[in-house]
Amino acid sequence: MASSTNGSNVLIRPVAGRIGAEIEGVRLSENLGSRTVAAIREALHHFKVLFFRRQEHLDEARQEAFGKLFGDLVPHPTIPSLPGTEHVLDVDGAEARASSWHTDVTFVDAYPQISILRALVVPEFGGDTVWANTAAAYQSLPPFLKELADSLWAIHSNRSEYAGYRPTGKPEPLKRYYEIFTSTVYETQHPLVRVHPITGERTLLLGRFVQKILGVSSADSAHLFDLFQGHATRLENTVRWRWSVGDVAIWDNRATQHTAIDDYGDLPRILRRVTVAGDVPVSVDGKPSVLHRKFSLRPPEIAAGT
């Protein structure tokens, strides 16, 4: 698939059958023309995740400026932004590894619509990221499971069993990171199936921020989660990316899950992420997600900014 934007030839190469495309011929910056931005957004809604190689010219400021072409940026709700930036999250494998399937920040109601991740340091081997198309996953469900999924709601929280997003190494760094990550606790009720506000597709809203599916026992909740989560992350719904320095991945956070593969030992892996503000999900019968409760567990030293 090839297209032309602003007089430049832009080649779009699908990477996998149901999700992912590599885009060539675009130098990412805040100076992209409106037609180019529109073309990227259209491709994003179709392929769900886009990959751009050789973007080493980007730094934190330029990454933020580029991200603003798609909407207002939002910082992480609990983790401080990289010093000197307003919205850049430092994704450093020496401190935390997002090695469970998740959609970014679903523990809040209006979680980000788009995430933009840039590779600074990549391991010699390992450290790939995998994305899953949650719209394709829903579409492939048999009718009776679609009907069941349409009726279900779940509580998402940053205190859920999100075991993959964790520091590695000694217990003290682990404890410190968890304290920061949960310094403010969010619990939000989301439908298991949301309607995408642009494409109209129905997407499965799951991942490891899910604390419990409502209206059933904890045991049944676990079974239902495993059933639908398993469909979401079936191999045919996924794409895997091997990072190189300067690579940028942009994904539709309303129609995907992703996970980082923790297979690179003590090798360095550093990426930087910005996210674009999203909307409150709406269920198939038009009901919006609701922030159930929010409360602080902020230790004094974190509150003081130390």
Side-chain angles (χ1 to χ4, degrees):
M1 174 180 179
S3 64
S4 177
T5 58
N6 285 354
S8 300
N9 291 322
V10 177
L11 185 65
I12 303 177
R13 300 181 184 274
V15 178
R18 293 185 178 178
I19 179 174
E22 182 178 344
I23 294 188
E24 298 179 1
V26 175
R27 188 177 191 270
L28 301 179
S29 79
E30 69 275 23
N31 298 317
L32 289 180
S34 59
R35 287 189 296 169
T36 302
V37 174
I40 292 173
R41 193 184 289 274
E42 181 181 0
L44 184 64
H45 291 150
H46 181 76
F47 292 102
K48 313 309 182 193
V49 56
L50 304 176
F51 305 106
F52 300 79
R53 296 187 187 272
R54 298 176 295 276
Q55 305 294 323
E56 294 95 332
H57 60 281
L58 291 178
D59 57 14
E60 283 70 48
R62 289 171 177 166
Q63 184 177 1
E64 286 184 305
F66 167 70
K68 290 176 182 177
L69 295 176
F70 297 89
D72 295 332
L73 301 185
V74 287
H76 193 278
T78 60
I79 302 173
S81 296
L82 188 73
T85 73
E86 293 185 65
H87 307 102
V88 178
L89 181 69
D90 186 22
V91 181
D92 188 340
E95 297 181 0
R97 300 192 180 189
S99 53
S100 285
W101 284 104
H102 64 287
T103 297
D104 285 335
V105 201
T106 60
F107 50 87
V108 303
D109 50 0
Y111 60 87
Q113 61 168 294
I114 295 171
S115 293
I116 303 170
L117 191 63
R118 174 174 61 97
L120 271 71
V121 178
V122 299
E124 178 181 351
F125 55 82
D128 297 357
T129 302
V130 185
W131 285 264
N133 183 339
T134 59
Y138 175 87
Q139 190 58 39
S140 65
L141 290 172
F144 70 94
L145 285 183
K146 288 181 181 177
E147 185 176 354
L148 175 59
D150 289 346
S151 69
L152 295 174
W153 286 68
I155 290 285
H156 293 234
S157 176
N158 54 329
R159 294 188 80 191
S160 65
E161 294 182 4
Y162 188 36
Y165 200 43
R166 53 172 172 71
T168 57
K170 299 179 181 178
E172 278 307 310
L174 172 61
K175 180 174 180 291
R176 171 71 176 177
Y177 187 84
Y178 186 75
E179 286 177 347
I180 295 173
F181 191 76
T182 61
S183 55
T184 299
V185 174
Y186 295 83
E187 295 178 354
T188 298
Q189 294 182 24
H190 286 304
L192 204 73
V193 179
R194 70 168 294 177
V195 179
H196 195 287
I198 305 301
T199 67
E201 294 172 303
R202 296 184 180 188
T203 69
L204 293 175
L205 176 45
L206 288 157
R208 284 298 175 182
F209 287 125
V210 172
Q211 192 172 57
K212 187 180 186 299
I213 294 176
L214 299 173
V216 298
S217 69
S218 295
D220 287 342
S221 171
H223 288 308
L224 287 168
F225 175 86
D226 288 344
L227 171 65
F228 290 109
Q229 180 68 19
H231 275 275
T233 58
R234 289 178 62 153
L235 286 178
E236 59 266 33
N237 295 324
T238 66
V239 64
R240 178 168 174 162
W241 188 253
R242 173 74 182 115
W243 292 99
S244 296
V245 172
D247 286 356
V248 171
I250 305 175
W251 64 92
D252 185 341
N253 197 51
R254 298 178 290 200
T256 58
Q257 291 185 36
H258 60 281
T259 183
I261 300 177
D262 186 1
D263 62 349
Y264 53 98
D266 294 328
L267 296 174
R269 181 183 186 271
I270 301 173
L271 301 97
R272 300 278 159 79
R273 192 189 81 189
V274 298
T275 52
V276 179
D279 55 303
V280 176
V282 175
S283 69
V284 298
D285 56 357
K287 295 179 181 178
S289 298
V290 177
L291 178 63
H292 178 62
R293 64 174 179 161
K294 171 185 173 182
F295 56 94
S296 179
L297 293 178
R298 190 175 297 270
E301 67 274 15
I302 296 175
T306 58

